[in-house]
Amino acid sequence: MNKELKRVSIVVLAMFLALFTSTMLIQVITSDSLRADDRNSRTLYDSYSAERGPILVDGQPIAVSVPTDDEYKFQRTYTNPLLYAPVTGYFTLNQGNTGIEGALNDYLSGTSNSQFLDQINAILTGQNPKGASVELTIDGAVQQAAWDALGDQTGAVIAMRPKTGEIIAMVSKPTYDPNLLAVHNSEGVIATYEALLADPAGPLFNRTISGDLNPPGSTFKLVVAAAALESGRFTPESEFPNPAQLQLPQSSNVITNSGGDVCGGTATVSLARALSLSCNIPFAELGLELDGQVIRDQANKFGFNEEIATPLVAAASTYPRALDDPQTMLSAFGQSDVRASPLQMAMVSSAIANGGSLMRPNLVERIVAPDLRVIEQFEPEEFRRSTSEQTAASVTQMMVDSVANGAASNARIDGVDVAGKTGTAENGSDEPYTLWFTGFAPANDPQVAVAVVVENGGGLGQSGSGNQIAAPIAQRVLEAVLFR
């Protein structure tokens, strides 16, 4: 072979290798991401040409695809859309997909890797391709109870089973109608989407997992109490000075308890009593003694500071790094820059309810192919060991006392020991409070953990409290599970 021919052969071989490598990268590594890219119009049209799988609650469809006479062949429709919009999300021509529609789009559209053979079979047999159905863990009765209990408030309710992590209610208000975003009219979809996006009430946010996360207020004392007991330096009987006011170090700012009085009326107060009565000053003192890093480590064991997929991706709740002493003291009762989602606070209660074992929160029970073959069956999985069983039992008793004899009295249920903690979080000198409750029941055999957040002070500005507004909402959700 002469020199010129050898060079040409090398160039051709190099080009072949480059083409082969490029093809392999696309087919093996980037195919899924390219298919999922919202800008991929071919995938978009394909997804409308196939019958998209339904989303089911209690075996009944809350989202289905129905045949149409236009170029798209099928249209997505939602039953009880306002109730379930935070869960289903929307499926649109040009504004992407959210909720379960987005998170499990591959399965619903029938394009997941595990459905490849089904697609081939449909082509060979001439059948219309169909997507898989997604069965949710949501309990329709509990979802409806949470919706009714929240009423016209801006906020969210989430309920989960502590022993399995199954999410059985996920309600967020205000909400929207995903049917308006599923129409086959691009201009109409864009107009509706932009109107929803511009709405200052934020109806597109699923407030159980995202949006502008709120300070958790005194519900965060559960994390600090757990950190104290886990440190081995404190017990429920540990006593703290209990003044009516306390000046923060390195600052002229003064913190007070709710109401501005001595919490419980004694010169000192135990950790257990301070949590039951939701005293701020003893927890500020405890936070300083523990140190911010210890609190942060405990918060992380409950799931703070990381995104969590249910498979809906929840924004990370945050306990900041490197807080100074005043910030650490404020953070100990859920202020400073601490932020939490209702899902996160439900996870805190769920872990305490489950003896310190935090189960991975999950919205999907199983995914089933059109031929009824189970593609995915989700099993309970421990997400984190949050505390020891002894610490969980001690914090549980404090929470029971808080409902029975303390600051969370409006969550009481006759004949049932409810474990709970309220929160009344400040957002600025003139801003309305954020009102919280989290807890579980029955305390000796927890069937459900719940978290409630009500924004804008529940319409009462800085006059409302977590016990006044959020606790009764949680009570109704707990009752819906226990007395069905």
Side-chain angles (χ1 to χ4, degrees):
M1 182 180 295
N2 60 39
K3 186 180 296 182
E4 288 74 16
L5 186 57
K6 188 179 293 183
R7 287 174 179 170
V8 171
S9 298
I10 292 173
V11 170
V12 170
L13 178 60
M15 292 175 67
F16 174 78
L17 289 174
L19 179 61
F20 178 78
T21 302
S22 175
T23 302
M24 288 300 293
L25 285 173
I26 292 173
Q27 291 292 330
V28 177
I29 298 177
T30 64
S31 59
D32 287 343
S33 61
L34 290 173
R35 188 168 55 238
D37 195 315
D38 290 341
R39 296 166 296 180
N40 188 341
S41 58
R42 182 170 181 174
T43 299
L44 173 66
Y45 283 97
D46 285 347
S47 66
Y48 277 87
S49 65
E51 183 177 353
R52 192 173 177 81
I55 301 173
L56 307 171
V57 167
D58 299 332
Q60 301 300 313
I62 60 172
V64 294
S65 290
V66 297
T68 64
D69 296 329
D70 61 22
E71 59 189 310
Y72 296 103
K73 297 185 179 179
F74 290 96
Q75 179 164 335
R76 202 64 163 164
T77 64
Y78 300 87
T79 56
N80 216 339
L82 302 181
L83 177 64
Y84 289 111
V87 181
T88 61
Y90 53 72
F91 180 68
T92 70
L93 274 174
N94 46 29
Q95 299 301 313
N97 311 320
T98 61
I100 291 295
E101 295 280 29
L104 297 180
N105 180 56
D106 284 358
Y107 290 104
L108 290 166
S109 62
T111 58
S112 70
N113 292 336
S114 57
Q115 293 164 278
F116 177 74
L117 293 179
D118 295 337
Q119 296 178 59
I120 297 297
N121 184 58
I123 293 172
L124 294 176
T125 60
Q127 297 175 343
N128 292 324
K130 292 182 179 180
S133 62
V134 174
E135 300 181 8
L136 302 180
T137 57
I138 293 289
D139 183 315
V142 182
Q143 179 83 357
Q144 187 65 56
W147 171 273
D148 295 341
L150 189 57
D152 295 330
Q153 300 286 3
T154 296
V157 181
I158 189 165
M160 58 191 293
R161 298 195 185 280
K163 296 174 185 174
T164 63
E166 294 169 288
I167 296 171
I168 57 176
M170 177 178 274
V171 167
S172 177
K173 291 185 178 181
T175 184
Y176 63 97
D177 184 351
N179 286 307
L180 302 178
L181 293 166
V183 298
H184 295 171
N185 177 318
S186 296
E187 293 181 356
V189 171
I190 292 173
T192 301
Y193 178 77
E194 290 183 345
L196 290 168
L197 201 61
D199 189 334
L204 290 177
F205 290 130
N206 179 350
R207 285 174 160 80
T208 63
I209 59 173
S210 62
D212 296 329
L213 301 188
N214 289 283
S218 292
T219 58
F220 192 74
K221 290 171 182 170
L222 299 175
V223 177
V224 178
L229 299 182
E230 288 288 284
S231 73
R233 297 166 52 199
F234 302 92
T235 69
E237 293 75 33
S238 297
E239 292 281 333
F240 297 88
N242 189 29
Q245 296 183 342
L246 181 67
Q247 182 173 337
L248 294 172
Q250 311 162 25
S251 169
S252 59
N253 292 333
V254 172
I255 59 174
T256 63
N257 298 305
S258 177
D261 299 325
V262 173
C263 194
T266 55
T268 63
V269 65
S270 69
L271 171 59
R273 187 67 173 157
L275 188 133
S276 172
L277 297 178
S278 200
C279 309
N280 289 339
I281 290 175
F283 267 87
E285 296 166 333
L286 172 59
L288 188 60
E289 290 195 48
L290 281 174
D291 180 71
Q293 187 57 49
V294 172
I295 300 174
R296 191 174 196 274
D297 289 345
Q298 182 60 60
N300 289 347
K301 291 180 180 178
F302 283 114
F304 275 77
N305 295 307
E306 65 179 292
E307 291 185 343
I308 297 166
T310 67
L312 308 187
V313 177
S317 297
T318 55
Y319 185 89
R321 293 181 181 275
L323 299 180
D324 60 21
D325 286 351
Q327 291 170 328
T328 298
M329 296 176 77
L330 291 169
S331 75
F333 53 95
Q335 295 291 164
S336 186
D337 291 326
V338 184
R339 295 292 181 272
S341 68
L343 171 64
Q344 177 60 74
M345 296 319 299
M347 290 167 62
V348 171
S349 282
S350 187
I352 295 168
N354 199 37
S357 174
L358 173 60
M359 304 303 289
R360 182 179 293 280
N362 176 40
L363 259 173
V364 179
E365 182 176 342
R366 60 180 183 169
I367 300 172
V368 181
D371 62 1
L372 303 183
R373 174 175 48 88
V374 176
I375 299 173
E376 294 274 359
Q377 177 77 50
F378 294 89
E379 301 294 340
E381 174 188 357
E382 185 178 66
F383 178 58
R384 202 67 51 79
R385 168 52 69 172
S386 300
T387 72
S388 67
E389 290 189 15
Q390 182 177 357
T391 292
S394 296
V395 177
T396 295
Q397 187 56 55
M398 297 181 201
M399 296 171 73
V400 170
D401 290 342
S402 184
V403 174
N405 308 299
S409 58
N410 284 336
R412 291 176 191 157
I413 299 175
D414 288 343
V416 178
D417 281 338
V418 176
K421 183 73 197 77
T422 55
T424 304
E426 298 179 5
N427 295 293
S429 58
D430 299 322
E431 297 297 320
Y433 293 154
T434 299
L435 311 177
W436 287 87
F437 179 91
T438 187
F440 55 90
N444 62 347
D445 182 23
Q447 303 299 309
V448 55
V450 64
V452 175
V453 65
V454 177
E455 299 178 358
N456 301 324
L460 299 176
Q462 295 188 346
S463 300
S465 70
N467 192 38
Q468 181 182 2
I469 304 295
I473 296 171
Q475 178 201 47
R476 291 177 61 182
V477 177
L478 295 173
E479 288 178 334
V481 177
L482 301 179
F483 301 145
R484 60 182 310 165

PDB file of all heavy atoms in Angstrom, residues 288-309:
ATOM      1  N   LEU A 288     -27.839  27.544  71.906  1.00  0.00           N
ATOM      2  CA  LEU A 288     -26.489  28.081  72.097  1.00  0.00           C
ATOM      3  C   LEU A 288     -25.584  27.037  72.745  1.00  0.00           C
ATOM      4  O   LEU A 288     -24.406  26.917  72.384  1.00  0.00           O
ATOM      5  CB  LEU A 288     -26.552  29.345  72.955  1.00  0.00           C
ATOM      6  CG  LEU A 288     -25.244  30.127  73.088  1.00  0.00           C
ATOM      7  CD1 LEU A 288     -24.740  30.588  71.723  1.00  0.00           C
ATOM      8  CD2 LEU A 288     -25.423  31.314  74.026  1.00  0.00           C
ATOM      9  N   GLU A 289     -26.130  26.278  73.692  1.00  0.00           N
ATOM     10  CA  GLU A 289     -25.319  25.248  74.346  1.00  0.00           C
ATOM     11  C   GLU A 289     -24.992  24.100  73.398  1.00  0.00           C
ATOM     12  O   GLU A 289     -23.918  23.507  73.451  1.00  0.00           O
ATOM     13  CB  GLU A 289     -26.048  24.708  75.577  1.00  0.00           C
ATOM     14  CG  GLU A 289     -26.131  25.697  76.735  1.00  0.00           C
ATOM     15  CD  GLU A 289     -26.517  25.009  78.030  1.00  0.00           C
ATOM     16  OE1 GLU A 289     -25.918  23.974  78.352  1.00  0.00           O
ATOM     17  OE2 GLU A 289     -27.434  25.511  78.705  1.00  0.00           O
ATOM     18  N   LEU A 290     -25.939  23.777  72.515  1.00  0.00           N
ATOM     19  CA  LEU A 290     -25.711  22.663  71.589  1.00  0.00           C
ATOM     20  C   LEU A 290     -24.703  23.013  70.511  1.00  0.00           C
ATOM     21  O   LEU A 290     -23.895  22.189  70.106  1.00  0.00           O
ATOM     22  CB  LEU A 290     -27.026  22.264  70.914  1.00  0.00           C
ATOM     23  CG  LEU A 290     -27.997  21.403  71.705  1.00  0.00           C
ATOM     24  CD1 LEU A 290     -29.292  21.239  70.936  1.00  0.00           C
ATOM     25  CD2 LEU A 290     -27.389  20.037  71.999  1.00  0.00           C
ATOM     26  N   ASP A 291     -24.803  24.228  69.967  1.00  0.00           N
ATOM     27  CA  ASP A 291     -24.004  24.694  68.838  1.00  0.00           C
ATOM     28  C   ASP A 291     -24.751  24.414  67.523  1.00  0.00           C
ATOM     29  O   ASP A 291     -25.412  23.388  67.365  1.00  0.00           O
ATOM     30  CB  ASP A 291     -22.616  24.031  68.786  1.00  0.00           C
ATOM     31  CG  ASP A 291     -21.793  24.519  67.614  1.00  0.00           C
ATOM     32  OD1 ASP A 291     -21.355  25.679  67.644  1.00  0.00           O
ATOM     33  OD2 ASP A 291     -21.643  23.754  66.633  1.00  0.00           O
ATOM     34  N   GLY A 292     -24.619  25.362  66.602  1.00  0.00           N
ATOM     35  CA  GLY A 292     -25.347  25.278  65.340  1.00  0.00           C
ATOM     36  C   GLY A 292     -25.025  24.032  64.539  1.00  0.00           C
ATOM     37  O   GLY A 292     -25.903  23.469  63.874  1.00  0.00           O
ATOM     38  N   GLN A 293     -23.770  23.585  64.571  1.00  0.00           N
ATOM     39  CA  GLN A 293     -23.409  22.413  63.767  1.00  0.00           C
ATOM     40  C   GLN A 293     -24.108  21.156  64.276  1.00  0.00           C
ATOM     41  O   GLN A 293     -24.523  20.297  63.491  1.00  0.00           O
ATOM     42  CB  GLN A 293     -21.894  22.215  63.770  1.00  0.00           C
ATOM     43  CG  GLN A 293     -21.414  21.121  62.829  1.00  0.00           C
ATOM     44  CD  GLN A 293     -21.850  21.364  61.389  1.00  0.00           C
ATOM     45  OE1 GLN A 293     -21.674  22.459  60.847  1.00  0.00           O
ATOM     46  NE2 GLN A 293     -22.438  20.341  60.746  1.00  0.00           N
ATOM     47  N   VAL A 294     -24.256  21.045  65.600  1.00  0.00           N
ATOM     48  CA  VAL A 294     -24.961  19.879  66.164  1.00  0.00           C
ATOM     49  C   VAL A 294     -26.428  19.886  65.712  1.00  0.00           C
ATOM     50  O   VAL A 294     -26.982  18.850  65.339  1.00  0.00           O
ATOM     51  CB  VAL A 294     -24.870  19.900  67.705  1.00  0.00           C
ATOM     52  CG1 VAL A 294     -25.754  18.807  68.310  1.00  0.00           C
ATOM     53  CG2 VAL A 294     -23.426  19.725  68.147  1.00  0.00           C
ATOM     54  N   ILE A 295     -27.037  21.062  65.743  1.00  0.00           N
ATOM     55  CA  ILE A 295     -28.428  21.159  65.285  1.00  0.00           C
ATOM     56  C   ILE A 295     -28.518  20.834  63.800  1.00  0.00           C
ATOM     57  O   ILE A 295     -29.428  20.130  63.350  1.00  0.00           O
ATOM     58  CB  ILE A 295     -28.986  22.569  65.569  1.00  0.00           C
ATOM     59  CG1 ILE A 295     -28.944  22.874  67.069  1.00  0.00           C
ATOM     60  CG2 ILE A 295     -30.414  22.689  65.044  1.00  0.00           C
ATOM     61  CD1 ILE A 295     -29.332  24.298  67.419  1.00  0.00           C
ATOM     62  N   ARG A 296     -27.552  21.350  63.043  1.00  0.00           N
ATOM     63  CA  ARG A 296     -27.564  21.092  61.593  1.00  0.00           C
ATOM     64  C   ARG A 296     -27.415  19.603  61.300  1.00  0.00           C
ATOM     65  O   ARG A 296     -28.109  19.056  60.432  1.00  0.00           O
ATOM     66  CB  ARG A 296     -26.451  21.877  60.916  1.00  0.00           C
ATOM     67  CG  ARG A 296     -26.544  21.896  59.395  1.00  0.00           C
ATOM     68  CD  ARG A 296     -25.486  22.819  58.795  1.00  0.00           C
ATOM     69  NE  ARG A 296     -25.804  23.139  57.417  1.00  0.00           N
ATOM     70  CZ  ARG A 296     -25.464  22.393  56.376  1.00  0.00           C
ATOM     71  NH1 ARG A 296     -24.780  21.293  56.565  1.00  0.00           N
ATOM     72  NH2 ARG A 296     -25.800  22.763  55.152  1.00  0.00           N
ATOM     73  N   ASP A 297     -26.521  18.942  62.025  1.00  0.00           N
ATOM     74  CA  ASP A 297     -26.331  17.506  61.808  1.00  0.00           C
ATOM     75  C   ASP A 297     -27.630  16.744  62.086  1.00  0.00           C
ATOM     76  O   ASP A 297     -27.984  15.811  61.357  1.00  0.00           O
ATOM     77  CB  ASP A 297     -25.217  16.978  62.707  1.00  0.00           C
ATOM     78  CG  ASP A 297     -23.836  17.468  62.273  1.00  0.00           C
ATOM     79  OD1 ASP A 297     -23.722  17.960  61.134  1.00  0.00           O
ATOM     80  OD2 ASP A 297     -22.897  17.365  63.082  1.00  0.00           O
ATOM     81  N   GLN A 298     -28.329  17.150  63.162  1.00  0.00           N
ATOM     82  CA  GLN A 298     -29.588  16.477  63.477  1.00  0.00           C
ATOM     83  C   GLN A 298     -30.645  16.783  62.410  1.00  0.00           C
ATOM     84  O   GLN A 298     -31.400  15.901  61.989  1.00  0.00           O
ATOM     85  CB  GLN A 298     -30.099  16.922  64.845  1.00  0.00           C
ATOM     86  CG  GLN A 298     -31.375  16.230  65.280  1.00  0.00           C
ATOM     87  CD  GLN A 298     -31.221  14.723  65.379  1.00  0.00           C
ATOM     88  OE1 GLN A 298     -30.401  14.233  66.151  1.00  0.00           O
ATOM     89  NE2 GLN A 298     -31.982  13.981  64.586  1.00  0.00           N
ATOM     90  N   ALA A 299     -30.690  18.046  61.969  1.00  0.00           N
ATOM     91  CA  ALA A 299     -31.644  18.409  60.911  1.00  0.00           C
ATOM     92  C   ALA A 299     -31.398  17.573  59.664  1.00  0.00           C
ATOM     93  O   ALA A 299     -32.347  17.090  59.018  1.00  0.00           O
ATOM     94  CB  ALA A 299     -31.531  19.898  60.600  1.00  0.00           C
ATOM     95  N   ASN A 300     -30.117  17.384  59.328  1.00  0.00           N
ATOM     96  CA  ASN A 300     -29.799  16.579  58.143  1.00  0.00           C
ATOM     97  C   ASN A 300     -30.291  15.140  58.287  1.00  0.00           C
ATOM     98  O   ASN A 300     -30.683  14.499  57.300  1.00  0.00           O
ATOM     99  CB  ASN A 300     -28.290  16.576  57.896  1.00  0.00           C
ATOM    100  CG  ASN A 300     -27.790  17.931  57.407  1.00  0.00           C
ATOM    101  OD1 ASN A 300     -28.588  18.794  57.022  1.00  0.00           O
ATOM    102  ND2 ASN A 300     -26.481  18.127  57.449  1.00  0.00           N
ATOM    103  N   LYS A 301     -30.266  14.615  59.515  1.00  0.00           N
ATOM    104  CA  LYS A 301     -30.747  13.244  59.731  1.00  0.00           C
ATOM    105  C   LYS A 301     -32.258  13.138  59.498  1.00  0.00           C
ATOM    106  O   LYS A 301     -32.785  12.044  59.296  1.00  0.00           O
ATOM    107  CB  LYS A 301     -30.398  12.780  61.146  1.00  0.00           C
ATOM    108  CG  LYS A 301     -28.905  12.569  61.357  1.00  0.00           C
ATOM    109  CD  LYS A 301     -28.620  12.110  62.780  1.00  0.00           C
ATOM    110  CE  LYS A 301     -27.130  11.910  62.992  1.00  0.00           C
ATOM    111  NZ  LYS A 301     -26.826  11.511  64.390  1.00  0.00           N
ATOM    112  N   PHE A 302     -32.943  14.271  59.557  1.00  0.00           N
ATOM    113  CA  PHE A 302     -34.369  14.278  59.244  1.00  0.00           C
ATOM    114  C   PHE A 302     -34.623  14.599  57.772  1.00  0.00           C
ATOM    115  O   PHE A 302     -35.781  14.633  57.348  1.00  0.00           O
ATOM    116  CB  PHE A 302     -35.100  15.301  60.114  1.00  0.00           C
ATOM    117  CG  PHE A 302     -35.343  14.846  61.542  1.00  0.00           C
ATOM    118  CD1 PHE A 302     -34.729  15.486  62.593  1.00  0.00           C
ATOM    119  CD2 PHE A 302     -36.196  13.784  61.815  1.00  0.00           C
ATOM    120  CE1 PHE A 302     -34.959  15.086  63.911  1.00  0.00           C
ATOM    121  CE2 PHE A 302     -36.435  13.374  63.128  1.00  0.00           C
ATOM    122  CZ  PHE A 302     -35.814  14.024  64.183  1.00  0.00           C
ATOM    123  N   GLY A 303     -33.561  14.914  57.006  1.00  0.00           N
ATOM    124  CA  GLY A 303     -33.735  15.169  55.582  1.00  0.00           C
ATOM    125  C   GLY A 303     -33.529  16.596  55.146  1.00  0.00           C
ATOM    126  O   GLY A 303     -33.692  16.921  53.962  1.00  0.00           O
ATOM    127  N   PHE A 304     -33.187  17.488  56.091  1.00  0.00           N
ATOM    128  CA  PHE A 304     -32.920  18.872  55.703  1.00  0.00           C
ATOM    129  C   PHE A 304     -31.705  18.934  54.776  1.00  0.00           C
ATOM    130  O   PHE A 304     -30.870  18.041  54.741  1.00  0.00           O
ATOM    131  CB  PHE A 304     -32.639  19.714  56.954  1.00  0.00           C
ATOM    132  CG  PHE A 304     -33.865  20.260  57.638  1.00  0.00           C
ATOM    133  CD1 PHE A 304     -34.657  19.441  58.421  1.00  0.00           C
ATOM    134  CD2 PHE A 304     -34.228  21.593  57.486  1.00  0.00           C
ATOM    135  CE1 PHE A 304     -35.794  19.929  59.060  1.00  0.00           C
ATOM    136  CE2 PHE A 304     -35.366  22.093  58.111  1.00  0.00           C
ATOM    137  CZ  PHE A 304     -36.151  21.264  58.905  1.00  0.00           C
ATOM    138  N   ASN A 305     -31.641  20.028  54.019  1.00  0.00           N
ATOM    139  CA  ASN A 305     -30.495  20.368  53.177  1.00  0.00           C
ATOM    140  C   ASN A 305     -30.265  19.383  52.027  1.00  0.00           C
ATOM    141  O   ASN A 305     -29.134  19.219  51.568  1.00  0.00           O
ATOM    142  CB  ASN A 305     -29.223  20.486  54.029  1.00  0.00           C
ATOM    143  CG  ASN A 305     -29.320  21.636  55.007  1.00  0.00           C
ATOM    144  OD1 ASN A 305     -29.599  22.779  54.620  1.00  0.00           O
ATOM    145  ND2 ASN A 305     -29.110  21.352  56.287  1.00  0.00           N
ATOM    146  N   GLU A 306     -31.322  18.737  51.548  1.00  0.00           N
ATOM    147  CA  GLU A 306     -31.193  17.936  50.335  1.00  0.00           C
ATOM    148  C   GLU A 306     -32.559  17.847  49.645  1.00  0.00           C
ATOM    149  O   GLU A 306     -33.609  17.881  50.302  1.00  0.00           O
ATOM    150  CB  GLU A 306     -30.688  16.532  50.639  1.00  0.00           C
ATOM    151  CG  GLU A 306     -31.602  15.670  51.453  1.00  0.00           C
ATOM    152  CD  GLU A 306     -31.018  14.281  51.667  1.00  0.00           C
ATOM    153  OE1 GLU A 306     -30.907  13.532  50.684  1.00  0.00           O
ATOM    154  OE2 GLU A 306     -30.669  13.969  52.816  1.00  0.00           O
ATOM    155  N   GLU A 307     -32.505  17.774  48.328  1.00  0.00           N
ATOM    156  CA  GLU A 307     -33.730  17.573  47.566  1.00  0.00           C
ATOM    157  C   GLU A 307     -34.209  16.140  47.765  1.00  0.00           C
ATOM    158  O   GLU A 307     -33.401  15.218  47.874  1.00  0.00           O
ATOM    159  CB  GLU A 307     -33.500  17.837  46.082  1.00  0.00           C
ATOM    160  CG  GLU A 307     -33.253  19.297  45.751  1.00  0.00           C
ATOM    161  CD  GLU A 307     -33.155  19.523  44.249  1.00  0.00           C
ATOM    162  OE1 GLU A 307     -32.952  18.535  43.512  1.00  0.00           O
ATOM    163  OE2 GLU A 307     -33.267  20.682  43.822  1.00  0.00           O
ATOM    164  N   ILE A 308     -35.509  15.963  47.808  1.00  0.00           N
ATOM    165  CA  ILE A 308     -36.087  14.646  48.033  1.00  0.00           C
ATOM    166  C   ILE A 308     -37.094  14.372  46.922  1.00  0.00           C
ATOM    167  O   ILE A 308     -37.965  15.191  46.650  1.00  0.00           O
ATOM    168  CB  ILE A 308     -36.772  14.586  49.404  1.00  0.00           C
ATOM    169  CG1 ILE A 308     -35.730  14.804  50.510  1.00  0.00           C
ATOM    170  CG2 ILE A 308     -37.485  13.254  49.605  1.00  0.00           C
ATOM    171  CD1 ILE A 308     -36.308  15.094  51.852  1.00  0.00           C
ATOM    172  N   ALA A 309     -36.968  13.212  46.278  1.00  0.00           N
ATOM    173  CA  ALA A 309     -37.862  12.846  45.180  1.00  0.00           C
ATOM    174  C   ALA A 309     -38.895  11.841  45.667  1.00  0.00           C
ATOM    175  O   ALA A 309     -38.535  10.828  46.275  1.00  0.00           O
ATOM    176  CB  ALA A 309     -37.068  12.253  44.025  1.00  0.00           C
TER     177      ALA A 309
END
